[in-house]
Amino acid sequence: GVQRTWFRESESVIEDVLGIKGKGNLKLDLEYVDGPSGTLAYVAAPAAAGPQTNQTMVIDMADFETSEAIFKDDALAGTVLHEMVHATMNANMDMLNFKSWFKEGTAEAVRGADDSLVSAIAGAGSEAALMAEFVAINGLTALPGAPTNAQIRGVYQGGYVAMRYIEDKLGEDGIKTLMSELTKGQT
């Protein structure tokens, strides 16, 4: 189910938006990770330099009453697309070269995160406060330990705003050219 529908649909969206295709193997692992209302799904970050062609997407079954319920969860569909962006980028480029805001902002831009941005602005107090959070932590290459809400907003939604700005300046074809250059080793 998930691999045949969401994975294929996600790959199609990613190719349309970023111009890159997945490579290698992406295994789906259904397990109990951190309990209800925690992490819904994730693709592990690369542990070694260079493109990663053997990856695993984990879906936390603790967030669902039954295994059939995963197919009825709209939030999971968006999360799967977000994580598929990570998997596709991991398979095509050395993600250790990129900041967290770029990785998360790209994934948020592909899935469309306007609703999340509205919530993040409210959580930060204003648009200016959200962007101040983004600027304050944009040097992070990985979130340390248990991240604060401000760090999450700054990386995810601040990164989303930055990627939307980049897309506005480069255009759709420019984003595809950027991603193509990154697959060739540019940083």
Side-chain angles (χ1 to χ4, degrees):
V2 172
Q3 287 176 303
R4 288 189 305 276
T5 56
W6 288 339
F7 281 15
R8 285 188 187 144
E9 290 170 12
S10 294
E11 287 177 327
S12 177
V13 169
I14 293 164
E15 185 175 1
D16 286 347
V17 175
L18 302 180
I20 55 177
K21 296 180 182 182
K23 299 178 186 177
N25 300 308
L26 180 62
K27 179 181 135 185
L28 178 62
D29 190 2
L30 304 175
E31 59 183 67
Y32 291 85
V33 178
D34 62 2
S37 301
T39 300
L40 194 57
Y42 67 89
V43 170
Q52 306 295 306
T53 55
N54 291 306
Q55 301 178 74
T56 301
M57 179 183 294
V58 176
I59 294 178
D60 185 3
M61 293 306 294
D63 289 304
F64 306 98
E65 292 181 23
T66 66
S67 58
E68 291 80 26
I70 67 174
F71 300 104
K72 298 174 185 166
D73 190 296
D74 292 335
L76 181 59
T79 300
V80 167
L81 177 55
H82 176 105
E83 295 303 326
M84 285 293 293
V85 171
H86 292 316
T88 303
M89 290 175 72
N90 289 343
N92 281 283
M93 52 193 80
D94 187 348
M95 293 302 285
L96 296 179
N97 285 326
F98 304 109
K99 304 285 185 188
S100 292
W101 73 263
F102 178 76
K103 298 174 202 178
E104 300 302 344
T106 301
E108 288 291 279
V110 170
R111 87 171 182 134
D114 289 341
D115 291 341
S116 297
L117 180 58
V118 169
S119 295
I121 291 168
S126 69
E127 291 175 15
L130 174 66
M131 292 319 292
E133 290 172 356
F134 171 68
V135 169
I137 65 166
N138 74 8
L140 290 176
T141 54
L143 293 175
T148 66
N149 286 337
Q151 288 172 323
I152 293 168
R153 285 191 302 259
V155 170
Y156 283 73
Q157 278 67 48
Y160 172 62
V161 170
M163 287 308 297
R164 292 294 302 263
Y165 177 80
I166 291 169
E167 180 183 26
D168 182 61
K169 293 301 177 192
L170 297 180
E172 290 179 23
D173 290 339
I175 290 293
K176 290 177 183 175
T177 300
L178 170 66
M179 293 298 161
S180 175
E181 291 301 312
L182 296 177
T183 66
K184 296 174 186 172
Q186 294 295 321
T187 61

